[in-house]
Amino acid sequence: MSRHGRLVIALLFFLGVINFADKAVIGFAAVPIMKEFHITPGQWGWVGSGFYWLFSLSAIIFGGLSDRVGTKKVLTGLSVVWAAVQFATLFTFSVPFLVATRIMLGAGEGPSYGVSLHAAAKWLPPEQRGFGYSLMSIGGAVGPALLAPVLIALIVNLGWRWAFALLGVVGLVWLLIWLIFAKESPDQQQMNVPETQISHGRTSWSRALPIIRSRNFIFSVFAGFAGYWGVTMLVVWTPAYLVHVRHFQMAQLGLLAGLPWLTTGIAQLLLGWVSDHLYRKTKNIRLARVHLSGSLLLLSAISFFMVTIVPSTGLAILFLCLGPALSSSVFGIGGALVAELIAPEHRGLIQGILVGLSTTAGLIAPIITGMVIGQGGPQNVIVGYNHAFGLAALVTLVLGILFWIVVRPPQVLTSSRMPNEFPDVRY
């Protein structure tokens, strides 16, 4: 990459830091919010789900828009929305207003990852995309991991609303730096990325629809859905689980709540590097992207199930860390898979649709999880949480196996092959 390409990737990394800190803060503040507004687990599931009501639709709409107006403009507008909504949370004194802020924040953050992948692809050569995309993905893990102690300290000492306000300030700082330093794409005369990897046209629906209908794309969405189910467990329910089931105090959650996110970041970076290493050595996209992702989802399912049966708090925390860390690693690897097999002029739309459909897990999982936990009743909350993690294991296992079996891209990509479709001739 060029020097400016590294700068853009770094800014997109920090965008992920802010993006997922915005998501995770609702989980950090779950216990005091539930106590203040007298919210049951079933009702809390709806609060957690609110973030995703417009998330997927927004990801698709603005992913397509980024093909037309550029990724820099789209990310600029979205970051303004995030900061404004976080400041508005200071004035939250009812559950409907809280849900409204989560809906608006989700609408603003839904397109972020897909548009970020589109922006990064302009600077990353194909053999570096698994690692590059994973680097951006771990921003989502590093943000909650680094900011958890600060945010929880604010929640305990000043109240949960101030944690949201701090994230609004951080978002404004990022926006200012982005406006000053970011560029849309490499200069033609200084490009280190092949010219064919940069979009010069607009999306053609006649060429994009066959990609979307292909079984390779559909089952890649299933893999993303499984990965995001694990992420929503981490965002919405894990801090509450540690308090309600493992009996930690809120003041003790500072470093502990960030540990699963730290594990997730390390796993994403390491496994993204492994995927790229396999791709460089073998040029076998099926081995480097599909087989690796399928095995990670299987191991994630095992980890979620282990949470339900281990008696030790230490082991439970270990598997709480491994479950979402392994499943979410498919985001960077899967994004690289899609980017390598589609034409650049479709990339923003297709990545947006991939992210938008995958993250519908965020719409469904919190509600179902809240219902499952609530069925255990206040006297047997442990049973409810165990059933919820067992369900996460089942979803991850089934969808992971389907992805592993069904997705069949070309086994080997050569430098002479122009990526103009998501190959699947037998759907």
Side-chain angles (χ1 to χ4, degrees):
M1 280 185 292
S2 66
R3 180 183 301 176
H4 204 91
R6 289 191 291 270
L7 174 62
V8 170
I9 298 299
L11 287 171
L12 294 173
F13 165 83
F14 284 108
L15 180 66
V17 169
I18 299 167
N19 188 297
F20 264 81
D22 286 350
K23 290 183 180 73
V25 68
I26 195 71
F28 298 155
V31 173
I33 293 176
M34 293 172 75
K35 183 178 179 180
E36 178 178 336
F37 295 118
H38 307 290
I39 298 173
T40 67
Q43 293 168 334
W44 184 247
W46 284 96
V47 174
S49 172
F51 181 85
Y52 297 96
W53 290 1
L54 297 177
F55 190 95
S56 299
L57 178 62
S58 178
I60 295 170
I61 292 173
F62 285 94
L65 184 63
S66 70
D67 287 328
R68 295 176 177 270
V69 304
T71 53
K72 180 176 180 178
K73 291 180 180 178
V74 171
L75 290 175
T76 297
L78 295 175
S79 62
V80 171
V81 173
W82 308 346
V85 172
Q86 295 294 53
F87 286 124
T89 309
L90 280 169
F91 306 99
T92 301
F93 294 100
S94 68
V95 174
F97 190 85
L98 175 64
V99 172
T101 62
R102 299 306 292 174
I103 294 172
M104 292 304 300
L105 185 64
E109 293 196 352
S112 173
Y113 187 64
V115 176
S116 293
L117 294 183
H118 184 23
K122 302 172 185 179
W123 302 89
L124 289 167
E127 66 274 10
Q128 294 181 6
R129 285 192 184 137
F131 182 80
Y133 285 2
S134 295
L135 184 63
M136 291 189 301
S137 296
I138 68 165
V142 170
L146 290 181
L147 294 176
V150 177
L151 295 173
I152 291 175
L154 281 174
I155 292 167
V156 171
N157 295 297
L158 297 179
W160 58 268
R161 293 171 180 82
W162 289 103
F164 289 80
L166 174 63
L167 292 174
V169 173
V170 173
L172 286 179
V173 172
W174 181 90
L175 173 61
L176 180 62
I177 297 172
W178 174 257
L179 286 172
I180 294 173
F181 295 106
K183 290 174 62 177
E184 179 67 30
S185 60
D187 295 329
Q188 186 68 39
Q189 66 272 21
Q190 297 176 342
M191 267 191 322
N192 290 328
V193 178
E195 192 272 341
T196 56
Q197 299 299 324
I198 299 177
S199 174
H200 296 289
R202 295 186 175 185
T203 298
S204 168
W205 278 101
S206 63
R207 298 182 67 188
L209 284 176
I211 302 171
I212 298 166
R213 293 197 302 261
S214 72
R215 69 180 185 182
N216 279 336
F217 182 82
I218 291 169
F219 284 86
S220 294
V221 169
F222 285 176
F225 186 96
Y228 220 85
W229 193 288
V231 169
T232 59
M233 291 296 295
L234 180 56
V235 170
V236 180
W237 292 107
T238 295
Y241 169 85
L242 293 172
V243 173
H244 294 150
V245 177
R246 297 297 171 174
H247 307 298
F248 287 93
Q249 300 297 317
M250 274 296 300
Q252 298 174 304
L253 287 185
L255 294 175
L256 186 60
L259 186 59
W261 294 101
L262 180 61
T263 307
T264 296
I266 294 172
Q268 288 179 341
L269 192 63
L270 175 61
L271 293 168
W273 178 85
V274 169
S275 179
D276 277 352
H277 179 73
L278 289 173
Y279 180 62
R280 285 193 298 269
K281 290 292 185 181
T282 66
K283 295 299 179 183
N284 187 323
I285 191 171
R286 198 177 299 170
L287 172 65
R289 310 304 194 200
V290 178
H291 293 333
L292 180 59
S293 295
S295 62
L296 292 176
L297 289 172
L298 176 61
L299 292 172
S300 173
I302 294 172
S303 298
F304 281 126
F305 178 73
M306 293 300 294
V307 173
T308 70
I309 64 174
V310 294
S312 164
T313 296
L315 285 176
I317 292 173
L318 171 64
F319 289 115
L320 276 174
C321 293
L322 289 177
L326 294 170
S327 64
S328 64
S329 294
V330 305
F331 298 147
I333 299 172
L337 170 67
V338 173
E340 288 155 8
L341 297 173
I342 58 177
E345 62 266 22
H346 303 146
R347 194 176 288 135
L349 176 66
I350 299 301
Q351 294 282 20
I353 293 174
L354 177 67
V355 172
L357 295 178
S358 299
T359 54
T360 54
L363 177 64
I364 300 168
I367 297 173
I368 295 178
T369 302
M371 294 170 59
V372 171
I373 294 172
Q375 286 180 348
Q379 304 303 319
N380 207 354
V381 67
I382 296 177
V383 172
Y385 274 101
N386 283 344
H387 288 167
F389 280 104
L391 177 61
L394 180 62
V395 170
T396 305
L397 176 65
V398 172
L399 296 183
I401 290 175
L402 288 174
F403 167 82
W404 202 346
I405 293 173
V406 174
V407 173
R408 286 291 181 269
Q411 185 164 330
V412 177
L413 294 181
T414 65
S415 58
S416 61
R417 181 184 180 276
M418 281 295 296
N420 58 7
E421 61 177 342
F422 202 103
D424 182 356
V425 296
R426 294 183 297 277
Y427 56 85

